[in-house]
Amino acid sequence: MENSTIIQNCKNCKFFIQHYAIKRGEFCWVGCGQCTNENLKNNRKPFRFAVGCALWEGDDQIKKKEVKNMCSILEDIENHLNRIKQILQLDKE
């Protein structure tokens, strides 16, 4: 049976913003971030991942928004690929 329990920590909270660093020219996540929940005292200060708090909320809305954005990006890619296909077919003629 699958375990559907969600671990309520900062990393998977909708208010958490992951911090990144540039290493060898690439963005890499680091072991800290910040909370953007306005109800949390000192929320703008960076902190290490915590166990979570009473203000934790799941990121379902964020995931839905990301899926919508990905679908839009995929549609754009499809349009670009169709345009490339048209151009290549013109070159064959």
Side-chain angles (χ1 to χ4, degrees), residues 3 23-24 26-27 31 36 44 47 51 54-55 62-63 65 70 74 77 80 82 84 90-91:
N3 183 2
K23 184 177 182 181
R24 296 187 186 114
E26 295 182 6
F27 285 102
T36 59
R44 300 292 177 197
F47 59 90
V51 180
L55 300 174
I62 293 171
K63 287 181 182 178
K65 185 177 178 182
M70 283 186 244
L74 288 172
I77 290 171
H80 288 292
N82 284 333
I84 291 169
L90 287 175
D91 286 346

Side-chain angles (χ1 to χ4, degrees), residues 4-61:
S4 61
T5 303
I6 297 173
I7 298 171
Q8 296 182 356
N9 60 24
C10 296
K11 192 172 180 181
N12 65 3
C13 179
K14 77 175 188 177
F15 298 109
F16 181 74
I17 303 292
Q18 175 68 55
H19 286 186
Y20 292 86
I22 297 176
K23 184 177 182 181
R24 296 187 186 114
E26 295 182 6
F27 285 102
C28 301
W29 67 272
V30 295
C32 67
Q34 78 186 60
C35 181
T36 59
N37 189 327
E38 297 191 8
N39 296 316
L40 184 66
K41 190 175 181 178
N42 300 323
N43 65 332
R44 300 292 177 197
K45 293 183 180 177
F47 59 90
R48 297 228 172 256
F49 297 138
V51 180
C53 69
L55 300 174
W56 182 91
E57 290 187 32
D59 62 354
D60 291 344
Q61 294 298 322

